[in-house]
Amino acid sequence: MDTYRIYSGSEEVTNVTGYPLEDEDEAKRLAQEISAGQPGSTVTVNSVSSQPAGGWTRTVATYIDGKPRPWVWKVTFLGPMPNLDDNLRLNEKGISYMGGHSEPMPGGVRAGLSRHELAVEAESGDEAVQKVRDALGGQAFQYSNWTHEPGDDESVRYRLEDQAGE
C-alpha cells in the first residue's frame, strides 16, 4: 500500500494531519491548501511504496500558490516563418510547433512577421523559452517579443503526446 508525504520545499509537512495519508486525492487536496497558504513556495506530494525488497518514491503532484505546477508551457515569439530545418530542430528537442499567425498592429498587420506558438515541457517558463532559443540556435536572434504562460490546457498535452507517438 502506498502512503503519501507532503513537502514544502525540502521540509516534510505531512505531520500536520496527525495520521498517515493513504488516499492520493486527500493528499493532493491538503497539499493544495498548504500551497495556497504559502505564496511562492513549492509544495509536492510524494507517493511512497513499500515492497518486501525495498521501496520507491515518486512525485505525484506539485503546487505553487495553490495551483498545480504546469509541466507544459506555451512559448510565443514574433518573427519570420520558421523554415523546415527550424521545425525539425524543434521536433528533435521535443518542442511542438502549435502554429503561427499574422499579428495585427495599428494600421494593419506586420508584413512578413508572425506570432508563433510552441508547446514545451520544462520546469519553468524561463526554461521553456531558453529551450526554444537553444533549439533554434543562431536563428533565435531573428525573433522578438518572447512570452511564456502555463500550457496546462489538455489540447497542448494531447498534441505533445501525439507528436511523441509519431
Side-chain angles (χ1 to χ4, degrees), residues 34-58:
I34 292 168
S35 173
Q38 298 179 356
S41 67
T42 300
V43 176
T44 58
V45 178
N46 289 343
S47 169
V48 181
S49 177
S50 297
Q51 305 293 327
W56 54 270
T57 302
R58 68 182 173 91

Side-chain angles (χ1 to χ4, degrees), residues 86-163:
D86 294 335
N87 284 334
L88 288 173
R89 278 198 301 274
L90 292 169
N91 282 335
E92 287 173 354
K93 300 291 184 179
I95 299 169
S96 179
Y97 185 80
M98 306 292 282
H101 59 275
S102 298
E103 186 172 72
M105 60 180 266
V109 295
R110 300 178 192 216
L113 298 180
S114 296
R115 167 74 49 195
H116 304 284
E117 296 179 3
L118 301 102
V120 183
E121 290 187 36
E123 295 282 326
S124 70
D126 291 335
E127 181 183 319
V129 168
Q130 191 58 49
K131 281 184 170 186
V132 173
R133 286 182 172 169
D134 290 347
L136 292 172
Q139 300 286 85
F141 76 90
Q142 296 180 35
Y143 306 111
S144 63
N145 201 350
W146 293 84
T147 67
H148 58 78
E149 63 185 73
D152 247 356
D153 175 40
E154 287 302 313
S155 65
V156 172
R157 289 180 191 254
Y158 291 136
R159 285 186 186 175
L160 281 173
E161 289 169 3
D162 289 344
Q163 177 185 342

